[in-house]
Amino acid sequence: MSRRKTYEDSSDEEEGRSRKRRRGSESVDIEDRLESLITRVGEKSTSSLESNLEGLASVLESDLPNYKQKIMRILCECVTTMPEKLTVYTTLVGLLNAKNYNAGGEFVELLVRNLKEVLKTSEFDSALVMVRFLADLINCHVIVAASLIMMFDSFLEVTLEDNIPQVRSDWYVYAVLSSMPWVGKELAEKKDAELEKLLTTIEHYIQKRQKIHVQTLRVWTSDDPHPQEEYLDCLWAQIKNLRANQWEEHQILRPYLAFNVVLCDALQHTLPRIIPPSHHDEATYPLPTVVFRMFDYTDVPEGVGIIPGSQAIERYLLEEHISRIIESYHLERKDCAAYLLSFPLKCKVPLNYMIVEVLFSQLFRLPRPPYIDLFYGSLLVELCKLQPSSMPQVVAQATEMLYDRLDTMNTSCIERFVQWFAYHLSNFQFRWTWDEWSDCTQQDLLGPKAKFVQEVLLKCMRLSYHQRMVEIVPADFKALLPRKPVPSFKYEKEGSGSLPGTIVVHQLMQAIKSKCTPEEAFSIIKDVPNPLKEKEGMDPGYNPLRIEVFVQTLLYIGSKSFSHSFAAISKFNNVLKALAETQDGQICLLKSLYELHKDHQQLIVVLIDKLLKTQIVECSAVANWIFSDEMMQDFTSDEEDYDNVKRIWQRFEVAYKEATDFYVWEIMHSTVKKMNKQVQKLQKEVDEARDRREAAHRRTRDGLDLDDEPEDVPTEEMIERMEDRLEAAQSEQKNLFLIIFQRFIIILTDHLAKCESDDSDYNTHWYKWVIERLQQVFLLHHEQVYRYINTLETLMFTSDIDIHILEVFQQFCALRS
């Protein structure tokens, strides 16, 4: 449903149209007018909200005889598309029910049918809003309180089911609890005993829940200054405080109170029985979360309002309302910013602080944010433009607080913080008070603060250029500045004449610049000797010198721009494929690319992406290369005056420094996503082919005219070939995850073993980066990884591995257990 349709006057219709056509056009115009009136109620108007609701209810009542289905459909869509105006629409339905009892009943029946449908299809966010809407209809005297209690009872019966994942029962408990701020007071007055029984059942459930998953979902590992509470525990504490305050809250707009006399006289409806659909393995329930807290009352200056406490129901209601506005307008950042800043109760609370906290809570949400990272950056920029006198200061304050807490921040969240901050700086001419962060220059370069600044400057360089980065930071930040992104072509350096293959390189370079064909280029390198044959005495399947000569020469010539590099790869695609037929050859190709462009991380990222798209390298080759020795060869220890054991250990850590660089994991996750998309595409093709085949069988069984049979109905042999391709892709996907997790286990086990033998602390900066990258792989690709959970448990994450590594796997399993 469009939220922005406007009524268009049809008075200028052409005189020559027939009466039937004119009636049809008038009908469409009236329907558009109704949709516009309903969807815009509660927005800016010269009249009061109560007056608009009363007038709209009268209009709808008069149009019910002719447009009942249209009106009902629009109202039901408004429930889920504009949840931030929930009480406005419950009031409208209440007034409509008071005027037309049958219409009220039909709306309730339609909404209940929709609720049952979305529960079956696992659309739990829509279901949550519908449950809350039904609860608020109690306040409008549309629904009998006893029937709502029955619905809640049936929801809580899910907690007694056997052999179901906890996330299933969690959702149904959350659906009941999250409705209480709207309906708790009314239920306490009318059905107090039944309400207390409900809450007692919930309390028992909350107490027995397992919370192994909490550790892997926390933004910060420390509870200082704010405790990191599990979402259901936090909401339960807020509801208990609400109950202790006699169910009084001061955040929900309740327009129906103005119509109490009218609504009290209305006849009420009984909800049909709503039984939660049975659990099935394909159902995907919302994952648990940990509540994000950044500000409290001490962080807010005087005169802008008081921020509610973390366990006050007002804090939950404010966050929920802001989140719903974001959900409704996330595709239109300008409208989203405008609606956020026109929040109904903005005079009572420090609105800017609440908006910024909610935005960062979503950006840092694990496993992943609700929307793409760029949305949060663009929305914060828009908010700063709309409120230049106050919002930039709040954003700057939040940035400083996040920087101060980097030592305990989750690696995935640090990475998102880097991406957001670099984007934000690029929109404000890269201005920042860098001097206030000079402490990071005195710290370990693998420490969170130094690493954060280093990665921010690298991201900023992608959005600008190297010299600009040199100019914007103070001189003492020199150690954190990115190197100038120029190629390192060893065949043109001093002394390169003694390198094997140099003569061929110059011949190849001249030929490529003269626009030779791929065949001519290959003939130049075909006689390059294979050093592996001399060592191993057998054909290794690839020639590392030939690959290095061709790849480095080709990419060096194409290094003028991304476009030149892409054009070079496209033109010599077949040569590259012939050189890297085996996985070892592909790893060698990636090594050559890295050696040439190791100072240009962005170019490495995009070139590997190009090599994957053109199928020159496979996903598993990229994973093996990332964890290979080649990625560690250039790092040695510069430390001195250490005892021998310490020196060896330091070299081990620095050798693995590349594992802490963010671009490496950007490549890793991009590779995994490509593999996942390929499997999804093939799965979709198989499903569609099966559906077409089944439809053809049905037509045959029903004796329909086979001459109308679609020409694209696949044969059984075609479907079998498609299934074979899907099976091969799934096997490749499984193998990719096995490679990744096996390599993680190896390098982490080495680290822990060395620490144990040296009697040193294992919890170093390097260990934090790598163990949390392992968590990130689990979380970011949890849907795909979960398919292979049994294999991982049987082959890799067994009781034999170190408990620190095993705990990461167990926490991941607990997310959906």
Side-chain angles (χ1 to χ4, degrees):
M1 178 181 65
S2 171
R3 300 177 56 123
R4 310 201 177 285
K5 284 192 176 180
T6 56
Y7 172 66
E8 297 178 0
D9 191 358
S10 60
S11 60
D12 59 345
E13 292 181 293
E14 298 178 12
E15 292 183 355
R17 291 183 180 178
S18 67
R19 179 176 299 179
K20 183 176 180 181
R21 180 73 174 271
R22 185 163 57 250
R23 283 179 178 173
S25 177
E26 289 173 355
S27 176
V28 170
D29 285 343
I30 292 174
E31 289 181 358
D32 286 347
R33 178 179 63 86
L34 287 171
E35 183 169 336
S36 177
L37 289 172
I38 294 172
T39 56
R40 294 188 175 206
V41 66
E43 298 181 10
K44 289 182 180 180
S45 171
T46 54
S47 305
S48 67
L49 173 60
E50 291 76 12
S51 158
N52 286 335
L53 283 170
E54 192 170 23
L56 179 56
S58 298
V59 170
L60 295 182
E61 183 196 15
S62 64
D63 284 331
L64 275 173
N66 298 319
Y67 301 101
K68 182 191 295 183
Q69 290 185 343
K70 177 73 173 180
I71 291 170
M72 295 298 166
R73 182 184 64 79
I74 295 172
L75 286 172
C76 279
E77 288 181 352
C78 286
V79 172
T80 52
T81 59
M82 285 176 277
E84 73 279 5
K85 296 199 293 185
L86 182 145
T87 56
V88 173
Y89 287 113
T90 53
T91 305
L92 179 59
V93 171
L95 291 171
L96 201 57
N97 179 68
K99 295 174 180 291
N100 189 319
Y101 174 76
N102 290 331
E106 288 183 36
F107 171 80
V108 171
E109 288 178 3
L110 179 58
L111 188 59
V112 169
R113 284 200 302 273
N114 290 347
L115 173 59
K116 290 179 178 179
E117 183 61 29
V118 295
L119 287 174
K120 285 181 183 178
T121 55
S122 300
E123 299 173 62
F124 291 107
D125 194 55
S126 294
L128 190 67
V129 178
M130 292 180 189
V131 170
R132 192 175 294 170
F133 195 93
L134 289 172
D136 199 50
L137 287 179
I138 300 290
N139 299 310
C140 303
H141 302 275
V142 176
I143 293 174
V144 177
S147 64
L148 183 70
I149 291 286
M150 287 180 63
M151 182 183 79
F152 285 166
D153 279 334
S154 69
F155 280 12
L156 295 185
E157 286 176 5
V158 172
T159 63
L160 304 177
E161 295 176 351
D162 296 324
N163 301 319
I164 61 166
Q166 182 175 284
V167 284
R168 171 175 165 83
S169 48
D170 277 357
W171 186 86
Y172 283 98
V173 170
Y174 184 82
V176 175
L177 274 181
S178 64
S179 300
M180 287 300 158
W182 280 264
V183 76
K185 186 174 183 179
E186 193 75 9
L187 292 180
E189 292 176 357
K190 294 180 177 178
K191 296 290 178 181
D192 186 53
E194 291 86 346
L195 176 60
E196 287 303 313
K197 183 180 177 182
L198 271 176
L199 296 176
T200 301
T201 301
I202 291 174
E203 184 169 29
H204 290 159
Y205 175 77
I206 297 287
Q207 290 171 351
K208 71 179 183 180
R209 289 174 71 235
Q210 64 86 7
K211 289 178 280 188
I212 302 172
H213 59 272
V214 171
Q215 192 61 35
T216 198
L217 296 176
R218 289 164 63 106
V219 175
W220 290 291
T221 56
S222 171
D223 283 333
D224 181 29
H226 305 298
Q228 304 292 292
E229 295 180 278
E230 207 268 350
Y231 82 115
L232 210 49
D233 286 347
C234 183
L235 180 57
W236 174 238
Q238 291 165 333
I239 294 300
K240 286 197 296 184
N241 284 334
L242 179 62
R243 178 174 59 175
N245 292 330
Q246 308 302 314
W247 302 98
E248 291 287 343
E249 54 73 37
H250 305 287
Q251 293 297 330
I252 298 176
L253 179 70
R254 299 182 185 269
Y256 38 75
L257 294 177
F259 302 100
N260 195 48
V261 174
V262 175
L263 297 177
C264 281
D265 292 336
L267 296 175
Q268 295 173 284
H269 305 272
T270 300
L271 281 174
R273 192 175 182 193
I274 302 173
I275 301 175
S278 301
H279 172 67
H280 55 90
D281 292 338
E282 288 73 30
T284 304
Y285 301 96
L287 295 179
T289 59
V290 170
V291 178
F292 179 88
R293 291 281 182 261
M294 181 187 296
F295 301 119
D296 60 26
Y297 70 96
T298 62
D299 300 311
V300 181
E302 294 182 6
V304 295
I306 299 174
I307 198 166
S310 62
Q311 292 193 340
I313 196 62
E314 285 78 13
R315 187 71 168 264
Y316 170 78
L317 293 173
L318 283 167
E319 292 167 347
E320 179 71 7
H321 197 156
I322 291 170
S323 297
R324 292 299 177 183
I325 293 174
I326 294 170
E327 178 187 11
S328 295
Y329 297 96
H330 71 275
L331 296 177
E332 302 163 325
R333 73 178 191 282
K334 291 182 180 292
D335 290 341
C336 190
Y339 277 98
L340 286 172
L341 293 176
S342 61
F343 192 79
L345 302 173
K346 60 183 179 181
C347 298
K348 297 182 179 180
V349 295
L351 181 61
N352 288 352
Y353 283 86
M354 292 300 304
I355 292 173
V356 168
E357 182 174 81
V358 170
L359 287 174
F360 278 117
S361 76
Q362 292 195 4
L363 177 62
F364 295 145
R365 185 177 302 169
L366 298 169
R368 60 174 70 97
Y371 316 109
I372 61 173
D373 294 359
L374 183 61
F375 161 71
Y376 299 100
S378 61
L379 180 57
L380 282 165
V381 169
E382 197 64 37
L383 289 166
C384 288
K385 290 179 180 178
L386 289 179
Q387 277 202 351
S389 62
S390 57
M391 185 60 80
Q393 289 85 342
V394 178
V395 174
Q397 183 181 347
T399 305
E400 293 285 359
M401 295 172 75
L402 292 170
Y403 175 81
D404 290 340
R405 300 174 193 174
L406 278 172
D407 288 343
T408 60
M409 198 178 211
N410 182 284
T411 295
S412 293
C413 299
I414 293 177
E415 187 171 51
R416 296 176 200 172
F417 185 22
V418 166
Q419 292 169 348
W420 166 77
F421 188 52
Y423 173 81
H424 193 76
L425 289 177
S426 72
N427 280 274
F428 295 95
Q429 300 178 341
F430 299 100
R431 291 194 300 265
W432 188 252
T433 52
W434 295 103
D435 287 326
E436 295 180 6
W437 288 0
S438 59
D439 61 320
C440 71
T441 61
Q442 309 301 319
Q443 299 175 7
D444 185 343
L445 292 182
L446 288 185
K449 290 184 177 179
K451 195 67 182 171
F452 169 77
V453 173
Q454 186 179 37
E455 292 291 338
V456 165
L457 294 175
L458 278 164
K459 289 290 184 182
C460 286
M461 187 173 68
R462 291 191 186 188
L463 300 167
S464 183
Y465 51 93
H466 182 264
Q467 185 58 34
R468 185 70 185 276
M469 298 304 101
V470 174
E471 294 169 355
I472 66 172
V473 297
D476 52 354
F477 280 74
K478 182 179 179 181
L480 302 178
L481 279 169
R483 294 188 291 268
K484 192 171 183 178
V486 294
S488 176
F489 190 49
K490 65 181 181 181
Y491 293 103
E492 284 198 344
K493 292 182 179 180
E494 186 177 349
S496 62
S498 61
L499 294 175
T502 300
I503 296 175
V504 178
V505 165
H506 290 297
Q507 293 174 351
L508 183 62
M509 188 177 295
Q510 185 63 37
I512 293 176
K513 287 182 178 178
S514 300
K515 299 182 179 181
C516 68
T517 65
E519 292 76 15
E520 291 170 341
F522 189 78
S523 67
I524 294 173
I525 62 173
K526 68 177 181 179
D527 294 328
V528 172
N530 189 341
L532 294 181
K533 276 189 178 181
E534 300 172 4
K535 294 179 181 178
E536 301 175 6
M538 57 181 292
D539 187 0
Y542 73 104
N543 185 330
L545 182 56
R546 185 187 294 169
I547 292 173
E548 183 180 78
V549 164
F550 185 79
V551 170
Q552 290 212 6
T553 304
L554 179 68
L555 295 182
Y556 178 66
I557 294 173
S559 62
K560 293 180 181 179
S561 68
F562 289 179
S563 297
H564 283 82
S565 296
F566 292 162
I569 291 174
S570 297
K571 180 175 180 179
F572 294 95
N573 183 288
N574 292 334
V575 178
L576 290 169
K577 283 184 177 180
L579 292 174
E581 289 181 321
T582 65
Q583 183 161 121
D584 287 339
Q586 293 170 20
I587 293 173
C588 182
L589 188 156
L590 293 168
K591 172 189 171 183
S592 300
L593 186 160
Y594 168 74
E595 286 181 344
L596 179 69
H597 288 305
K598 60 186 175 183
D599 292 336
H600 199 332
Q601 296 182 356
Q602 185 181 12
L603 187 55
I604 294 176
V605 172
V606 298
L607 287 181
I608 291 178
D609 183 76
K610 181 70 171 179
L611 292 172
L612 284 167
K613 285 180 178 177
T614 53
Q615 299 181 341
I616 293 170
V617 299
E618 299 172 356
C619 295
S620 56
V622 175
N624 277 313
W625 167 73
I626 285 174
F627 288 100
S628 67
D629 293 338
E630 283 77 8
M631 288 297 286
M632 301 178 285
Q633 66 178 4
D634 293 326
F635 298 96
T636 56
S637 173
D638 294 328
E639 303 295 334
E640 50 186 317
D641 299 327
Y642 279 87
D643 59 78
N644 191 49
V645 173
K646 184 67 177 177
R647 188 179 297 113
I648 293 172
W649 170 236
Q650 181 70 18
R651 285 180 178 173
F652 170 80
E653 276 212 330
V654 177
Y656 278 97
K657 176 184 177 295
E658 195 76 5
T660 69
D661 287 345
F662 287 13
Y663 86 98
V664 173
W665 303 102
E666 183 181 355
I667 295 170
M668 171 67 78
H669 294 301
S670 175
T671 302
V672 174
K673 287 175 183 176
K674 274 189 172 49
M675 186 74 256
N676 296 342
K677 285 182 179 179
Q678 183 181 348
V679 172
Q680 290 169 3
K681 178 184 177 183
L682 292 173
Q683 182 69 65
K684 183 180 179 181
E685 289 176 357
V686 170
D687 292 342
E688 289 177 350
R690 286 172 178 162
D691 289 343
R692 292 199 301 271
R693 186 71 183 167
E694 181 60 30
H697 283 318
R698 284 198 302 269
R699 290 174 63 83
T700 302
R701 286 196 306 267
D702 296 343
L704 298 178
D705 188 358
L706 296 181
D707 292 337
D708 295 334
E709 190 77 24
E711 296 181 0
D712 62 343
V713 174
T715 64
E716 291 292 343
E717 291 77 12
M718 292 170 62
I719 293 177
E720 286 178 5
R721 287 196 296 270
M722 294 169 71
E723 288 174 340
D724 288 342
R725 289 197 296 271
L726 173 61
E727 187 176 344
Q730 289 173 333
S731 178
E732 189 178 347
Q733 181 187 51
K734 180 179 179 180
N735 183 52
L736 177 62
F737 283 121
L738 290 176
I739 290 170
I740 292 170
F741 292 128
Q742 181 190 48
R743 296 308 181 93
F744 266 114
I745 291 171
I746 290 172
I747 64 173
L748 286 168
T749 300
D750 284 349
H751 171 89
L752 294 165
K754 287 179 186 295
C755 289
E756 185 177 359
S757 63
D758 298 342
D759 195 24
S760 58
D761 184 10
Y762 72 89
N763 196 19
T764 63
H765 291 313
W766 178 89
Y767 174 76
K768 170 184 162 59
W769 291 118
V770 177
I771 196 75
E772 290 181 1
R773 287 297 184 181
L774 173 59
Q775 288 180 337
Q776 185 184 49
V777 174
F778 275 120
L779 291 176
L780 202 57
H781 311 288
H782 64 91
E783 298 97 337
Q784 292 78 25
V785 174
Y786 206 78
R787 296 174 189 168
Y788 311 115
I789 198 80
N790 293 330
T791 303
L792 293 173
E793 188 172 19
T794 304
L795 297 181
M796 293 190 172
F797 294 94
T798 64
S799 57
D800 296 335
I801 67 172
D802 191 280
I803 186 61
H804 300 90
I805 306 172
L806 186 58
E807 281 179 347
V808 175
F809 178 71
Q810 292 171 339
Q811 290 164 8
F812 166 71
C813 294
L815 281 177
R816 298 173 69 171
S817 64

